[in-house]
Amino acid sequence: MISEVLALLAASAAAPVPAATPLPELPVFMAADCASADSRAKVLTSPFADGSYEERLENYVNARAQGTLGRLDHTDISAEQRRAILDATLMSPEFASTTDENARRDAALEPHFKTLESDPSDAEACRAIVHISGEIHAMLLSVAAQWDRLALTIDREIAKTEESD
């Protein structure tokens, strides 16, 4: 479920890539999207309804991870320096705060996933997906921002290392 994807996101948060990696295309629904049968049908056939959003998130995470590894692999930064950079960033209060907030959001989604598993009416399923899409979007944006901050830190450290050589 979402916890597994979030674990993958968190584990890979140390793997930023330049801003060229677009966020996965996932819709963000609003309560109004459940008002009519036509709009509700769009929600009920979305990637959140069939679970395919998880694959999109995994692909995004993998692209971010590959981008970072490629950036670091083309530098003279030692393995010890790399660990120090990542440790300092990953242990920062800001990183911990974002991780905690996303864990809270993930836990808050549990009842909505249970609703989807319970063979709900279309209206109930639609409302659950509205909540899920909004929270996943918020989590994705915060994780992307973490990676962007980490990428800047790595870029600064690469520049410092190259200047001192």
Side-chain angles (χ1 to χ4, degrees):
M1 196 182 305
I2 188 71
S3 297
E4 295 160 351
V5 173
L6 281 177
L8 183 58
L9 287 171
S12 301
V17 73
T21 301
L23 291 172
E25 290 186 27
L26 293 170
V28 179
F29 297 110
M30 298 170 53
D33 293 318
C34 297
S36 73
D38 287 340
S39 62
R40 195 167 38 247
K42 289 179 184 175
V43 175
L44 297 175
T45 57
S46 74
F48 297 106
D50 66 15
S52 65
Y53 75 93
E54 290 179 351
E55 181 180 344
R56 293 178 188 195
L57 291 176
E58 287 178 33
N59 290 341
Y60 175 72
V61 168
N62 290 336
R64 296 289 306 239
Q66 290 172 1
T68 297
L69 293 176
R71 290 163 70 175
L72 288 172
D73 288 344
H74 298 297
T75 68
D76 293 332
I77 294 178
S78 71
E80 287 178 16
Q81 288 171 311
R82 290 177 194 195
R83 273 193 299 278
I85 294 166
L86 295 177
D87 285 349
T89 305
L90 297 176
M91 299 304 185
S92 72
E94 181 181 32
F95 187 91
S97 174
T98 302
T99 301
D100 290 347
E101 178 63 17
N102 281 341
R104 184 204 58 75
R105 283 188 166 123
D106 183 35
L109 285 176
E110 190 61 30
H112 302 293
F113 281 112
K114 287 187 190 269
T115 296
L116 291 178
E117 293 169 359
S118 70
D119 195 25
S121 69
D122 284 355
E124 291 170 320
C126 188
R127 285 190 299 271
I129 291 171
V130 165
H131 289 287
I132 291 168
S133 73
E135 290 297 325
I136 288 177
H137 181 72
M139 289 186 278
L140 185 57
L141 290 177
S142 71
V143 168
Q146 274 184 325
W147 279 339
D148 292 342
R149 287 188 299 273
L150 184 54
L152 291 172
T153 301
I154 289 171
D155 289 344
R156 278 193 305 268
E157 293 301 320
I158 289 171
K160 284 181 194 175
T161 302
E162 289 174 352
E163 286 175 7
S164 66
D165 290 341

